[in-house]
Amino acid sequence: KGSACNTNSDGQTINPRPQIPGKPDPAVTDPTCTVGKGQIKVKNAESNVTYALLQGTTIITSSSTGDFAELEPGDYSIRANGKFCPNNSDPIKVNNRPFKPAEPKFTVNHPTCNHPKGSINITDFETGATYYLNLNGTEISGVDGLFAELDPGTYAVGAKGNVCKTEKGTQVNDAPLKP
């Protein structure tokens, strides 16, 4: 008597599930006043894993260490590529560089024979910047960009945004000597 089902084993083996790399845990360094580009570093980088930096579904670059530098502001993700299976990070954002005003443009009016004080006048205003005069570490605000009644000496004229500052040094000369 036979059976309706035949079982035939020819030694087929089912392989174990391929190893999946850990989900990338990125640390973001946003641009600063002095460094204009961002950086992303995978904190839990694994050996034998390649990391791909993506914008949307487009691969921007790859790294065996999980370090990505010189990044423009924008939205990214990282894909860990093991031998067979990938694992993606959560969305990552590199923020914009803080506003850094241009070096201030100004004129210096030096003391005269009739007036022993000088002045500094901002000549080109940048939207979003506020202007100040740095006198020995103390910031002094001017009225409409005018810093008047200044003693002869060295000054720094500054422009600042919410975070970043730019300064330029200048000199108010001594008054000419009267005969």
Side-chain angles (χ1 to χ4, degrees):
K1 293 187 181 178
S3 161
C5 296
N6 272 335
T7 57
N8 184 7
S9 175
D10 60 4
Q12 297 280 332
T13 302
I14 297 176
N15 292 328
R17 179 179 178 191
Q19 186 174 0
I20 299 173
K23 181 177 180 176
D25 182 15
V28 177
T29 302
D30 287 321
T32 66
C33 297
T34 56
V35 178
K37 306 259 177 135
Q39 182 177 346
I40 299 172
K41 179 178 179 72
V42 176
K43 296 186 287 187
N44 61 334
E46 300 173 39
S47 60
N48 299 321
V49 173
T50 301
Y51 296 91
L53 181 70
L54 297 104
Q55 278 191 309
T57 58
T58 303
I59 295 175
I60 305 301
T61 188
S62 294
S63 166
S64 62
T65 63
D67 294 344
F68 302 96
E70 297 295 314
L71 300 176
E72 295 293 336
D75 296 318
Y76 297 92
S77 65
I78 295 176
R79 177 181 299 143
N81 293 307
K83 188 171 182 182
F84 297 103
C85 299
N87 199 351
N88 290 344
S89 71
D90 291 330
I92 308 162
K93 183 170 190 69
V94 174
N95 291 311
N96 290 323
R97 180 181 191 174
F99 169 64
K100 183 178 182 181
E103 190 173 84
K105 295 178 182 163
F106 54 88
T107 58
V108 178
N109 298 308
H110 298 286
T112 65
C113 293
N114 296 326
H115 190 74
K117 303 280 186 174
S119 65
I120 297 174
N121 192 23
I122 304 295
T123 57
D124 188 14
F125 292 88
E126 186 175 0
T127 302
T130 57
Y131 295 87
Y132 62 93
L133 191 67
N134 187 336
L135 178 60
N136 299 322
T138 302
E139 292 181 7
I140 301 166
S141 296
V143 176
D144 295 328
L146 176 64
F147 304 95
E149 300 300 311
L150 300 175
D151 290 324
T154 301
Y155 296 89
V157 180
K160 63 182 174 179
N162 291 340
V163 177
C164 305
K165 297 180 182 182
T166 305
E167 290 187 347
K168 182 177 181 182
T170 192
Q171 180 78 31
V172 173
N173 295 335
D174 291 325
L177 296 175
K178 290 185 180 182

